[in-house]
Amino acid sequence: MTHRNYSWSEITKILRSGETKGKLTRDDLPTPALMLDLDDFEYNIDKMTRYLRSSNVAIRPHGKTHKCAEIAKVLIRAGAAGSCVAKLSEAEAFADNGVGGLLITTAVIGKHKIERAILLARNHPDTIFCVDDAQNVRDLDEAAGVSGVRLNLAIDLLVGERTGVGCGEPALVLARLIASLAHVTFAGIQAYAGQAAHVAEWEKRRRVSHEAMGKAVETRYLLEKHGINVAIVTGGSTGTYNIDAEINGVTELQPGSFIFMDLAYNSIAGNGSEAFHDFRNSLSVLTTVVSKRGSDTAVVDGGFKAFATDQPMVPVAKNMQGVRYNWGGDEHGILEAIKPSVTLDVGDRVEFMVPHCDPTVNLYDRIFCLRGDDVETVWPITARGMSQ
Ligand SMILES: Cc1ncc(COP(=O)(O)O)c(C=O)c1O
């Protein structure tokens, strides 16, 4: 196999020319490289959007997974209501790159961040901010009043183990406060039950998610009984998409990982299947064998800096049987040949599925998008590192 080993500036030149076909292939990429199989990515989007459309539930996928404005725009073109983002800085990066319909799923706390939130809302008035604290609501209202801007606020409901105001009465009190203030608008309810997403058995996952989202829907009806219109009830994850979509009163879902998939999601069960393969593994990391020890050990150039390491599982080689990856430090992975179907030589490429997609993507500046072996385009990871 011959590799052209282009430099980044040569790759940029080819991409700028717009003629990548046959000129830039997976074999030319500098490794470790983050790659997206466009056919599988499009399959995933099509499958999820079709399913939710048929369930009459909207989708605002979570951009924390990809942090890539171009991907957010692909999803919006496929029918998404916009993009969820985890943090204000992620929202700013997306907004600056033409992504609308933003829902910031974490509260914006502190004077300086509130000033930035006002600026964002001035230019992107459809942005929704999540809140779970009365003083934060008053601070947002005051800042909005001073600047002559209106802010859309959604109540973050505690249906999981993280943030949120209590379901029922505490949520009603907060919603009433929002409704009573002059410069904020009550947008709805966010209810993210992260504890349900990776429950291994599907039936158990269904029970956990129904319990959590059921409380969100009850809260919705309580607010409506008191004259507060709840336009949005949003939540859910890739693991519960076909559970939450069947719950009456949930209006939109915010799954993220389904576009890429990862080994953590593959390890749970599907509905009627032992492993979760509703969506395809479109995301991978390409590495190169940089050293060899004897006939059964090959060292690749991807370690802790190429893959997120928060999950118990190791990267798994794609399209290759009989090799096991072991962590080899920051820059390396040690490939053990157990029953090799291929002999690995220095310079050979090995492609891996990743243990956890979100934090892996955050390790890269760009994602190479392939159609077959050809690089069709390269997208910047717009909000890489933006966790503020
Ligand atoms: C608030 C919120 N919504 C949605 C998601 C999407 O979950 P997943 O990537 O499991 O689909 C996450 C993921 O952590 C999240 O934090």
Side-chain angles (χ1 to χ4, degrees):
M1 210 185 296
T2 51
H3 307 313
R4 282 170 280 204
N5 279 322
Y6 288 125
S7 67
W8 177 243
S9 64
E10 286 166 321
I11 288 178
T12 313
K13 225 183 271 169
I14 294 169
L15 291 168
R16 285 223 182 99
S17 75
E19 294 266 322
T20 51
K21 185 101 184 136
K23 290 192 177 157
L24 196 62
T25 70
R26 71 176 64 224
D27 292 333
D28 300 321
L29 299 181
T31 60
L34 187 69
M35 299 200 306
L36 182 65
D37 182 306
L38 286 170
D39 289 335
D40 288 345
F41 169 70
E42 288 163 7
Y43 169 91
N44 293 343
I45 294 173
D46 185 59
K47 183 164 183 183
M48 180 64 93
T49 51
R50 258 176 212 270
Y51 180 83
L52 294 184
R53 216 175 296 128
S54 72
S55 308
N56 217 10
V57 173
I59 179 168
R60 196 182 313 245
H62 212 308
K64 74 191 280 292
T65 301
H66 52 78
K67 287 179 163 277
C68 170
E70 293 310 314
I71 292 183
K73 286 188 263 186
V74 168
L75 288 159
I76 289 169
R77 284 196 293 275
S83 180
C84 287
V85 283
K87 299 291 182 71
L88 177 64
S89 61
E90 227 168 67
E92 292 166 333
F94 276 20
D96 287 349
N97 285 278
V99 180
L102 296 169
L103 189 159
I104 308 176
T105 58
T106 318
V108 173
I109 303 290
K111 190 170 176 294
H112 298 303
K113 283 192 180 170
I114 289 179
E115 280 168 13
R116 282 163 52 190
I118 297 288
L119 215 64
L120 178 65
R122 188 188 296 289
N123 296 324
H124 303 274
D126 62 351
T127 305
I128 302 173
F129 299 87
C130 282
V131 290
D132 71 357
D133 177 76
Q135 187 55 50
N136 183 222
V137 168
R138 287 191 202 96
D139 293 346
L140 288 163
D141 177 70
E142 192 186 321
V146 169
S147 325
V149 165
R150 266 200 98 72
L151 296 179
N152 307 307
L153 305 187
I155 287 185
D156 181 25
L157 210 57
L158 184 61
V159 293
E161 294 152 354
R162 217 161 55 185
T163 56
V165 63
C167 297
E169 198 57 31
L172 176 62
V173 171
L174 196 61
R176 277 182 159 154
L177 172 65
I178 296 169
S180 73
L181 296 173
H183 312 291
V184 291
T185 302
F186 180 73
I189 291 173
Q190 179 196 240
Y192 173 65
Q195 76 278 18
H198 288 85
V199 172
E201 287 168 49
W202 195 81
E203 275 304 334
K204 187 167 176 210
R205 190 152 81 243
R206 186 162 181 267
R207 279 198 302 280
V208 174
S209 201
H210 266 269
E211 194 185 323
M213 296 310 280
K215 287 186 206 156
V217 170
E218 273 171 34
T219 302
R220 171 194 178 157
Y221 295 141
L222 176 72
L223 267 52
E224 288 180 339
K225 204 173 91 186
H226 286 83
I228 299 171
N229 179 46
V230 184
I232 296 173
V233 177
T234 173
S237 62
T238 298
T240 62
Y241 80 101
N242 53 358
I243 296 168
D244 302 329
E246 67 183 31
I247 301 175
N248 281 334
V250 172
T251 68
E252 79 179 40
L253 297 191
Q254 48 179 254
S257 303
F258 72 98
I259 58 166
F260 293 150
M261 285 300 286
D262 56 26
L263 297 167
Y265 259 130
N266 290 146
S267 74
I268 65 170
N271 180 9
S273 60
E274 230 168 79
F276 186 51
H277 287 299
D278 293 28
F279 303 98
R280 296 179 179 164
N281 294 77
S282 66
L283 185 79
S284 62
V285 168
L286 186 68
T287 64
T288 303
V289 175
V290 290
S291 181
K292 229 185 140 175
R293 259 185 274 143
S295 61
D296 60 357
T297 308
V299 182
V300 293
D301 58 356
F304 301 147
K305 292 181 187 168
F307 303 95
T309 56
D310 59 307
Q311 295 294 316
M313 64 281 287
V314 291
V316 169
K318 212 173 168 180
N319 314 320
M320 194 181 287
Q321 308 290 313
V323 287
R324 185 187 153 79
Y325 179 100
N326 296 301
W327 299 112
D330 292 347
E331 277 84 20
H332 298 102
I334 316 290
L335 272 192
E336 235 182 292
I338 309 163
K339 210 176 7 139
S341 60
V342 227
T343 25
L344 287 174
D345 290 315
V346 169
D348 284 347
R349 301 291 175 111
V350 188
E351 184 180 347
F352 292 94
M353 292 181 280
V354 308
H356 187 183
C357 54
D358 304 36
T360 296
V361 172
N362 195 42
L363 297 170
Y364 292 86
D365 288 326
R366 54 188 74 88
I367 185 164
F368 292 96
C369 308
L370 283 94
R371 190 80 64 187
D373 284 334
D374 287 320
V375 175
E376 192 168 288
T377 189
V378 183
W379 289 329
I381 308 299
T382 330
R384 177 190 179 187
M386 294 183 189
S387 53
Q388 295 73 33

